[in-house]
Amino acid sequence: MTRARLLVIAGLLVVPAWPWPAWAEGGSVTLAQFRQRDQQVENRLLKEFEAATGIRVQQRIMPASTDLQHQQYVTWLAGRDRSVDVYLIDLIWVAEFAAAGWILPLESRLPAEARDGILPAPLASAHYRGKLYAIPRFTESGLLYYRKDLVPTAPATWEELRGLARAKRGREVAGYVFQGKQYEGLVVNFLELLWSAGGEVLAPDGRVLLNGPAGAAALTYLVELVGSGAAPRGVITYMERESLQEFLEGRALFHRNWSYAWSLVHREGSKVRGKVGVAPLPSWDGRRPGVAALGGWHLALSAYSERRDAGWRLIRFLTDTRAQKAKAIGEGRLPTLASLYADPDVLEANPHFAALQQGLAHARHRPITPFYPRLSAVLQTHLSRALVGSSSPQEALDAAAREIATFVARE
Ligand code: GLC
């Protein structure tokens, strides 16, 4: 047997069956993210990426709670972990991660025309000190869902909502369900009320304002919602998922959640399909419109990644039109690319998107500062104390403001 022939036979023994796995050539990249709403849609996208690039994607699945994800990410990044290349991050961490040098600026990587297509609010939230550090993957804002079969129109003010919730709740149907557990979601619910009431967390010069009259009114409102029975006591244990579940089971009249909940309400088999209306969050005083928080998640490249180019290719792939369209149709996720709000397939699957785009433009970002996660942790503790009745709203906010002032002053 000739040498060449021997080599061919040897080759046949080790070469795996056709098709040769594409990733064998392109190496691999690791993506940390929470379990996606429809993991099949996600896996299909990742397979397409692997086939197109030859780069294999490993996923690290994170817990659903944003705070638990944050803890894990901080542990990895502070430890200069090299095993994760791309992180799906909550937009509230951009400033902290960028200031710490944990994620790379992406200025030079994203072509200007690609930037122009991104909605202004999510794009702004991906910047820190004028530089782009992440690419928005999907966006969301707070909305009010209501049972239009039981309450014909959405309440115009928060006061009206509380009155209706109390008057119309029944033995089987609670009034208003929101996110009242001690975590970021509770802070979001409080901030939306605070902003609607004309308040602010911090003054431009860094003074802490959240314990002013608007803050006290907002927290008193939340506490009284629970105290008066307008919201069931269970809300103090609810995150997004639990509160939505109550609403989907038909056990609540009103529900605050992010925009993604709409597609779940309308899903086949939903007990409340066809019975739900959606509206902007109510106004505080009937004059100024209510204020919704801006939510959403971005993809960022770890400063400790040894596969930066491969990581960047994955970020581009997952944030481009094709992938965002798949997520919008398959999961009801709001795209961050303006063009998709006029895409006929996206609109057919989500006729409400056109209206939501408006709300997004007015949604407010939580304070953009590297210490936001600390500020939020302090608020979470004190808001929760007020909700369970261990301190009055004013005491809780004063205590939070004192603690926050100690680290704001040091920044
Ligand atoms: C959603 C939002 C995120 C927010 C979180 C609070 O995931 O996208 O921005 O911090 O909810 O629970």
Side-chain angles (χ1 to χ4, degrees):
M1 197 178 292
T2 63
R3 196 162 172 251
R5 227 176 136 164
L6 257 180
L7 280 177
V8 170
I9 294 173
L12 285 178
L13 293 178
V14 291
V15 171
W18 184 261
W20 170 266
W23 44 262
E25 278 156 22
S28 71
V29 76
T30 301
L31 163 67
Q33 63 176 353
F34 60 86
R35 186 174 298 287
Q36 298 295 289
R37 285 251 326 277
D38 188 329
Q39 202 56 40
Q40 274 178 6
V41 173
E42 184 70 2
N43 291 342
R44 245 193 332 268
L45 280 173
L46 296 178
K47 288 246 143 34
E48 274 177 36
F49 173 77
E50 293 182 341
T53 60
I55 301 166
R56 185 185 193 186
V57 183
Q58 320 254 19
Q59 281 188 83
R60 290 264 178 95
I61 299 292
M62 297 287 110
S65 148
T66 181
D67 303 281
L68 294 179
Q69 288 178 64
H70 180 256
Q71 264 173 31
Q72 179 63 71
Y73 284 6
V74 168
T75 308
W76 281 333
L77 289 162
R80 301 171 167 252
D81 184 285
R82 290 166 197 275
S83 65
V84 177
D85 304 290
V86 176
Y87 288 93
L88 183 65
I89 63 173
D90 194 332
L91 51 77
I92 50 179
W93 312 329
V94 171
E96 180 194 28
F97 288 11
W102 290 340
I103 52 177
L104 295 171
L106 302 174
E107 290 291 302
S108 56
R109 291 190 185 257
L110 190 72
E113 65 279 9
R115 198 168 313 192
D116 291 346
I118 304 177
L119 295 175
L123 182 63
S125 73
H127 282 77
Y128 178 61
R129 300 218 161 142
K131 272 201 196 145
L132 182 71
Y133 279 93
I135 311 294
R137 184 169 193 199
F138 62 83
T139 182
E140 40 199 7
S141 65
L143 289 170
L144 180 70
Y145 297 88
Y146 65 100
R147 286 286 299 277
K148 64 178 186 199
D149 56 330
L150 303 174
V151 189
T153 53
T157 63
W158 282 105
E159 207 41 64
E160 201 183 313
L161 180 144
R162 182 163 57 190
L164 283 167
R166 288 191 61 196
K168 301 247 176 193
R169 78 200 144 117
R171 266 175 24 128
E172 310 285 318
V173 189
Y176 177 52
V177 288
F178 61 97
Q179 295 81 48
K181 189 179 167 151
Q182 184 179 333
Y183 83 117
E184 177 62 25
L186 170 58
V187 174
V188 168
N189 281 257
F190 167 71
L191 291 181
E192 288 176 334
L193 288 163
L194 168 86
W195 289 328
S196 299
E200 292 292 337
V201 178
L202 299 170
D205 65 4
R207 257 173 322 122
V208 183
L209 300 179
L210 58 83
N211 54 334
L219 186 52
T220 303
Y221 177 84
L222 273 184
V223 169
E224 285 178 358
L225 271 179
V226 182
S228 67
R233 266 213 84 67
V235 290
I236 60 174
T237 63
Y238 293 168
M239 298 202 291
E240 280 85 359
R241 190 177 298 182
E242 294 80 17
S243 53
L244 176 60
Q245 198 50 39
E246 285 300 294
F247 190 71
L248 292 178
E249 291 291 334
R251 289 199 288 261
L253 289 170
F254 300 108
H255 175 43
R256 181 260 171 224
N257 211 319
W258 301 101
S259 22
Y260 76 83
W262 184 248
S263 58
L264 296 182
V265 162
H266 290 277
R267 204 164 51 175
E268 222 159 300
S270 152
K271 290 195 181 145
V272 291
R273 198 176 181 187
K275 299 180 180 168
V276 174
V278 64
L281 293 177
S283 155
W284 185 260
D285 55 10
R287 281 178 279 130
R288 284 163 307 174
V291 184
L294 181 71
W297 292 72
H298 303 337
L299 287 167
L301 193 54
S302 165
Y304 308 109
S305 165
E306 285 164 341
R307 295 163 290 228
R308 294 179 178 186
D309 289 339
W312 170 247
R313 286 179 77 182
L314 179 63
I315 294 178
R316 278 296 278 153
F317 178 87
L318 291 177
T319 54
D320 79 0
T321 312
R322 208 179 131 63
Q324 290 209 22
K325 183 166 172 170
K327 297 290 266 191
I329 294 174
E331 291 187 359
R333 285 290 186 200
L334 281 178
T336 60
L337 298 173
S339 61
L340 286 173
Y341 290 81
D343 181 292
D345 303 330
V346 169
L347 289 178
E348 194 191 325
N350 305 283
H352 60 296
F353 272 18
L356 288 186
Q357 200 183 354
Q358 275 280 324
L360 279 174
H362 297 112
R364 265 195 74 166
H365 201 293
R366 284 156 275 173
I368 302 184
T369 143
F371 56 75
Y372 180 77
R374 275 164 79 197
L375 184 157
S376 169
V378 170
L379 255 182
Q380 290 172 26
T381 309
H382 293 288
L383 294 176
S384 203
R385 288 178 66 84
L387 273 187
V388 299
S390 19
S391 44
S392 74
Q394 190 66 59
E395 278 162 11
L397 292 174
D398 287 344
R402 273 195 303 276
E403 277 178 54
I404 292 167
T406 62
F407 53 80
V408 173
R410 282 204 302 272
E411 290 301 320

